[in-house]
Amino acid sequence: MIFHSLDFAIFFVLVVPLYWTLPHRGQNLLLLAASAVFYGWIHPWLLSLVATVALVTYASGLGMEIWPSRRKTFLWFGVFVTFGVLGAFKYFGFFAENVAAALSLAGLRVPRPALSLVLPAGISFYTFQAVTYPIDVYFGRMRARRSLVDVAAFVSFFPSLLAGPIMRASTLLPQIEGVRRFSAAAARDATLLLAWGLFKKLVIADNVGVIANKVFALREPEFHVLWAGVFAFAVQIYADFSSYADIARAVARWLGIDLVRNFDHPYLAASPAEFWQRWHISLSTWFRDYVFLPVAYRISGRLTAEKRFGLDAATRAYAGGIMVTMLAAGLWHGAGWNYVLWGGYHGVLLALARLLAPRRGRRRRARRWLRPARAAGMFALTAIGWLFFRETDGSMILRDLALSPFQASALGRQTGAYLFFLAGLYSIPLWIDSLWSKLGGPSLTAAMAREDARLDGRLVAAQALLAGTLVAGALTLHATTSLDFIYFRF
Amino acid sequence: MPSSGSPRRQRLSLAAVILGAAIVPFGLRAVNAVTRPPGAEPSYIPSVESPRVRGPFDREAVEALREAANDVILIGDSMAGTRIHPGHLSRLMGGRGAAALFHPGSGPAYWYLTFKNLVVNAGLHPRTAVFFFRDENLTDTLFRVYPSALDRVARQREPVLDELLAARANGRYFRVHRILTRLYGHDQARAWLEPLIVRAPVAWSATRRARKRLLERINNEVFTLDALRPMAAADMASASGEALDFRRNLPTSVLPEILRLSHSSGIRVAFVRVQRRPGPDGPPPQSAALRAYVGALRAYLEENGALFHDDWGDPDQPLSIYEDGDHIAREYRLHCTELFFRKNPEVFR
């Protein structure tokens, strides 16, 4: 089921009132049943996968508690089976293709795999979410749970099931276990967040998505047309993915559950590290905690303190750790070399930024006014990354990077300018939202975070007006072509 | 959880935001009232259209047709327009007239209304009316329901077409869409707001004509089917799924109504499926579903006494005669007219 569908609207209107009439255990059972309907709506067989993952992670946690001497065995059981499901469905074809290609380079003829598996929607998200449970139990961050219903509701929690945010067991499970009370303030803010999410998806992401799709369908786009298309894609992917996260958070809030924020105006970032603190936060912190820190720690343990290539041990450990992490993060996005390239590119950016940071530390503090220019520079670097991400054909990437603005035709320049401004026009609300946040404007959608907030009539009036304006905008300007959420395919 | 204000006030504030989300869009009606030109009237296809100012019916075309008393009437979109030269066809026919009622960017609703209002109900008696179409267009009633074109051929009320469009648009989604449209009138707001946005980036162009020309060039020269990657072009050119289920789409298509008019008026009808852009090595690829669709269409038409001709795979229409997309280059128009004449002897018998 997708959020911007009539099916989901009916589902939501039925589930929420019923949910609040039930006692706590009943609510959790309903959450589980609703998640099954939500996911099974795509295809019932998908339920077998999420059920397997839920059962395995539950058993793994329970095993660690019952047989403490075999904790490691149960940890690996949980991790291997969960990632095994992900690997089999997402990477089997990619792996087999590449092995066959490598062997054929060596002169060996290997038949291409006849088995082609369909990628189940959301599998990268719920497997990454589920695997935090055995890991956190193993490291003593939380105790194993006895209730299969609670663990299964955590693994399959429908608002974040298909495209995140990726919740940690230690964050979401206690909320599922705890008694929840309906908060009208939270629901009020969630309503505005829902309207904003729908607007971003239907008006911004889908309209600029049409531009990006058109440009990336061209055989030989000229320089200006190509980069206008890349700009459109940069807007599309942010609006599309953050809209899903907003709607997911809004729906969860209506159910009395707080999901983590997944985006914090990433295009305001002035450095690669800051970008990753603002972009897909739940995934980047997952990779930081479960991949980067262990890898960097292991690398630093093997390094000598003396400088190599003019780099101290800490910098070398960071560079090694970040490259491994970002290549893995790239591969997480899709079974394709372009995603690996995209991850590697960001790894290089992060490592370079770290190398250059000490030298310009003082200068940076002195020139805060340069921040807008640095943010624009970072946006340009991010856009180059989006080219690798969007373009699946390696030869096209090379061709695109070799394009010169000076060889473009007049029509190519005019078309590029037209598409750039059109994408810019559709994305104005997105930039206003970011600037509003940057200038310190009060958040209209964050009552849950404001423990001491008082009911402010002006705030409510502003919320009501804004929610209505967003609905009117979505009705009037929604794209005629409705595109799938981009991150569904990951 | 926040403890701001009393629970009652919090609930009221929630109700206020939900009401705001539902009520503020009514402001679009006020905007429409300001932006709408006077003279808006209920549409002739009210199931899918709100009241608006309609363009005039093309009475001059009816008069001209009546005066010419043609033997053959040709109906279609730019596919037919780039292939058939009516003057040359008349010469090939030995002086008996052929009139072309082509409208670029038109669809089956337009073709049906043209046949009904400009030919049958106008009392004309051509021997044959020929409809040109691509693949599954004939049974896709919602394809290109453009008011600017339809106004020229629609009467004050078009209940049959309205019923067909309503039936086609009768899913749950369309029902909700209709209710929301009637409530808020957002389609009218869209009618002026969307073109404003689409044209805004070329506002620097000096004249309206220059702006229009630039947008046309972007569409016709940059994003042509030719310029697309092969897979993208194939995807864009081919219909799939339910659109290719002939039996499913027939009851909500204009086809039975065209045949009924044909029988009642005694005007024979012929249908020509034009060939889409071929590849360098041969005719355009066809999916199994499309082949099955065309087979079912042919059988249905022939059962009902209509003529059917399929251009697909015609060796006399290689890639070299095509210009942009599925259009034929201007210099091959006469060639295609001759092909049409030669390969459809029954039409001219």
Side-chain angles (χ1 to χ4, degrees):
Chain A
M1 210 178 282
I2 50 172
F3 284 150
H4 58 297
S5 68
L6 197 56
D7 295 332
F8 181 74
I10 295 166
F11 170 84
F12 181 71
V13 167
L14 291 177
V15 167
V16 171
L18 179 61
Y19 177 84
W20 287 114
T21 57
L22 294 173
H24 175 241
R25 296 313 302 169
Q27 285 179 342
N28 285 1
L29 279 170
L30 179 63
L31 266 188
L32 194 57
S35 298
V37 172
F38 181 86
Y39 197 45
W41 203 258
I42 303 170
H43 200 289
W45 80 266
L46 293 176
L47 292 175
S48 61
L49 289 180
V50 79
T52 304
V53 170
L55 277 172
V56 165
T57 46
Y58 170 77
S60 148
L62 206 60
M64 281 186 243
E65 188 147 299
I66 296 172
W67 294 286
S69 59
R70 295 189 175 175
R71 289 165 60 79
K72 205 163 206 170
T73 308
F74 281 106
L75 169 70
W76 287 121
F77 166 67
V79 171
F80 271 128
V81 175
T82 306
F83 281 154
V85 169
L86 176 65
F89 282 91
K90 189 164 179 174
Y91 300 107
F92 171 75
F94 178 67
F95 177 75
E97 284 266 332
N98 281 283
V99 168
L103 289 175
S104 71
L105 279 179
L108 295 169
R109 283 205 154 208
V110 180
R112 296 283 155 130
L115 181 64
S116 171
L117 295 175
V118 175
L119 179 67
I123 193 168
S124 306
F125 290 91
Y126 66 73
T127 50
F128 265 51
Q129 177 161 307
V131 88
T132 63
Y133 175 68
I135 293 176
D136 286 356
V137 170
Y138 178 81
F139 285 106
R141 293 178 196 129
M142 60 187 295
R143 56 179 177 73
R145 271 29 183 198
R146 297 276 164 167
S147 166
L148 176 61
V149 171
D150 290 354
V151 173
F154 152 71
V155 171
S156 65
F157 186 58
F158 77 85
S160 58
L161 182 66
L162 291 178
I166 298 167
M167 296 296 290
R168 306 286 178 89
S170 54
T171 313
L172 184 54
L173 249 176
Q175 293 191 69
I176 289 172
E177 291 168 330
V179 175
R180 300 175 285 275
R181 305 238 179 276
F182 178 74
S183 161
R188 187 190 70 217
D189 293 355
T191 305
L192 180 56
L193 196 58
L194 191 68
W196 174 227
L198 287 171
F199 180 89
K200 271 198 286 189
K201 170 64 185 159
L202 298 173
V203 178
I204 303 175
D206 284 357
N207 275 310
V208 296
V210 170
I211 299 172
N213 288 350
K214 276 192 158 192
V215 170
F216 281 95
L218 289 175
R219 206 163 26 197
E220 293 175 335
E222 293 192 61
F223 179 89
H224 299 81
V225 176
L226 172 78
W227 289 101
V230 173
F231 171 71
F233 182 68
V235 171
Q236 182 200 3
I237 195 166
Y238 172 44
D240 188 279
F241 195 16
S242 68
S243 72
Y244 190 94
D246 286 348
I247 298 169
R249 286 173 66 213
V251 171
R253 275 187 192 182
W254 266 97
L255 300 171
I257 287 175
D258 205 11
L259 297 182
V260 295
R261 198 173 177 195
N262 222 9
F263 292 89
D264 182 17
H265 310 288
Y267 293 149
L268 294 180
S271 70
E274 193 186 346
F275 176 78
W276 284 102
Q277 285 156 15
R278 291 169 175 270
W279 178 270
H280 202 172
I281 298 166
S282 63
L283 180 74
S284 55
T285 51
W286 193 102
F287 270 104
R288 181 196 65 199
D289 294 346
Y290 297 115
V291 180
F292 172 72
L293 290 175
V295 170
Y297 180 73
R298 286 213 159 210
I299 292 175
S300 66
R302 293 179 183 184
L303 294 177
T304 53
E306 69 207 37
K307 281 196 169 187
R308 287 260 173 94
F309 314 111
L311 304 175
D312 58 33
T315 306
R316 278 181 285 149
Y318 175 84
I322 207 69
M323 283 311 296
V324 170
T325 306
M326 294 313 293
L327 288 170
L331 204 55
W332 177 89
H333 282 82
W337 287 111
N338 63 310
Y339 297 114
V340 178
L341 178 64
W342 175 76
Y345 169 77
H346 273 280
V348 169
L349 287 184
L350 285 159
L352 281 176
R354 164 91 178 210
L355 287 174
L356 298 173
R359 291 180 206 167
R360 57 174 195 185
R362 185 184 290 177
R363 201 172 55 194
R364 187 172 54 188
R365 278 194 296 278
R367 294 184 184 175
R368 290 214 167 156
W369 56 272
L370 267 179
R371 189 179 164 88
R374 288 174 48 226
M378 185 59 219
F379 180 77
L381 290 173
T382 309
I384 294 171
W386 290 136
L387 172 65
F388 304 149
F389 192 95
R390 179 65 176 78
E391 181 54 77
T392 51
D393 183 339
S395 61
M396 284 297 287
I397 293 175
L398 291 176
R399 179 207 164 271
D400 291 345
L401 291 175
L403 281 176
S404 161
F406 305 109
Q407 290 168 346
S409 67
L411 181 60
R413 283 197 299 274
Q414 286 174 318
T415 306
Y418 172 75
L419 297 177
F420 178 80
F421 283 116
L422 189 60
L425 209 56
Y426 274 116
S427 60
I428 283 174
L430 210 59
W431 307 116
I432 290 176
D433 177 48
S434 288
L435 283 176
W436 176 260
S437 148
K438 183 71 192 162
L439 298 172
S443 170
L444 297 175
T445 57
M448 296 276 278
R450 297 196 314 268
E451 291 291 336
D452 59 344
R454 297 181 68 80
L455 189 61
D456 180 343
R458 283 175 305 179
L459 176 75
V460 173
Q463 285 181 320
L465 188 65
L466 192 54
T469 307
L470 290 169
V471 171
L475 285 169
T476 310
L477 290 175
H478 67 86
T480 45
T481 312
S482 181
L483 307 174
D484 281 345
F485 282 103
I486 294 176
Y487 267 68
F488 274 13
R489 74 184 77 139
F490 305 138
Chain B
M1 295 283 158
S3 56
S4 47
S6 68
R8 187 168 167 274
R9 290 193 64 195
Q10 291 289 8
R11 286 205 179 94
L12 281 176
S13 72
L14 169 61
V17 172
I18 292 173
L19 276 177
I23 288 172
V24 171
F26 280 108
L28 290 171
R29 296 181 80 99
V31 176
N32 291 340
V34 175
T35 55
R36 182 169 49 195
E41 54 187 282
S43 166
Y44 44 83
I45 41 175
S47 295
V48 292
E49 235 186 22
S50 301
R52 63 179 175 85
V53 181
R54 66 162 288 176
F57 177 75
D58 195 351
R59 290 179 201 287
E60 287 173 15
V62 175
E63 290 310 316
L65 286 170
R66 190 169 285 141
E67 207 165 294
N70 302 289
D71 261 7
V72 175
I73 300 283
L74 309 163
I75 297 170
D77 60 4
S78 59
M79 295 304 121
T82 60
R83 282 167 172 81
I84 306 296
H85 187 294
H88 189 56
L89 185 61
S90 294
R91 282 193 291 278
L92 293 170
M93 289 165 64
R96 292 174 299 158
L101 299 176
F102 302 145
H103 195 291
S106 59
Y110 179 90
W111 306 334
Y112 155 69
L113 291 181
T114 300
F115 182 56
K116 178 171 82 77
N117 296 331
L118 267 56
V119 180
V120 177
N121 290 351
L124 304 185
H125 296 288
R127 282 207 295 198
T128 312
V130 188
F131 296 80
F132 295 82
F133 67 99
R134 277 181 295 180
D135 294 352
E136 84 299 347
N137 286 170
L138 265 183
T139 50
D140 185 1
T141 317
L142 286 167
F143 177 61
R144 293 176 171 170
V145 181
Y146 299 147
S148 57
L150 291 181
D151 285 355
R152 300 175 55 192
V153 292
R155 290 295 186 180
Q156 209 60 21
R157 282 170 47 78
E158 294 293 352
V160 173
L161 178 62
D162 187 52
E163 207 171 293
L164 290 172
L165 289 170
R168 181 54 72 96
N170 202 26
R172 267 188 319 179
Y173 169 79
F174 280 101
R175 278 204 292 275
V176 172
H177 183 262
R178 265 206 302 280
I179 291 167
L180 291 175
T181 304
R182 281 181 188 157
L183 269 178
Y184 297 126
H186 54 268
D187 59 332
Q188 289 173 56
R190 187 186 186 95
W192 63 266
L193 189 55
E194 197 178 42
L196 206 66
I197 293 173
V198 171
R199 287 184 205 131
V202 286
W204 75 83
S205 300
T207 61
R208 176 182 280 201
R209 194 186 162 87
R211 287 199 288 269
K212 195 172 170 223
R213 172 89 185 116
L214 176 57
L215 288 177
E216 280 173 1
R217 287 192 70 199
I218 290 173
N219 275 328
N220 297 334
E221 294 176 36
V222 180
F223 293 106
T224 61
L225 218 51
D226 268 356
L228 300 181
R229 299 180 196 186
M231 280 310 291
D235 286 349
M236 286 180 73
S238 63
S240 59
E242 292 176 348
L244 293 178
D245 186 342
F246 179 75
R247 289 289 157 195
R248 183 177 185 277
N249 288 309
L250 182 65
T252 54
S253 80
V254 294
L255 212 45
E257 196 56 24
I258 290 176
L259 292 173
R260 191 190 64 75
L261 287 169
S262 161
H263 294 146
S264 65
S265 65
I267 301 170
R268 188 171 47 175
V269 285
F271 295 86
V272 177
R273 178 192 176 211
V274 301
Q275 178 179 257
R276 304 196 80 132
R277 188 179 192 80
D281 304 322
Q286 290 198 106
S287 65
L290 181 56
R291 277 199 300 276
Y293 173 92
V294 174
L297 172 66
R298 176 194 291 273
Y300 172 76
L301 291 174
E302 290 175 352
E303 270 169 31
N304 285 279
L307 302 172
F308 178 79
H309 177 78
D310 191 352
D311 269 351
W312 187 86
D314 184 348
D316 294 325
Q317 296 186 43
L319 178 63
S320 55
I321 70 169
Y322 281 74
E323 196 174 53
D324 58 325
D326 297 336
H327 294 149
I328 298 289
R330 180 177 284 270
E331 59 267 33
Y332 291 102
R333 198 172 167 208
L334 298 184
H335 163 75
C336 281
T337 307
E338 285 162 18
L339 284 180
F340 169 62
F341 181 72
R342 192 152 43 89
K343 297 194 174 184
N344 292 278
E346 301 96 330
V347 171
F348 305 100
R349 196 169 289 152

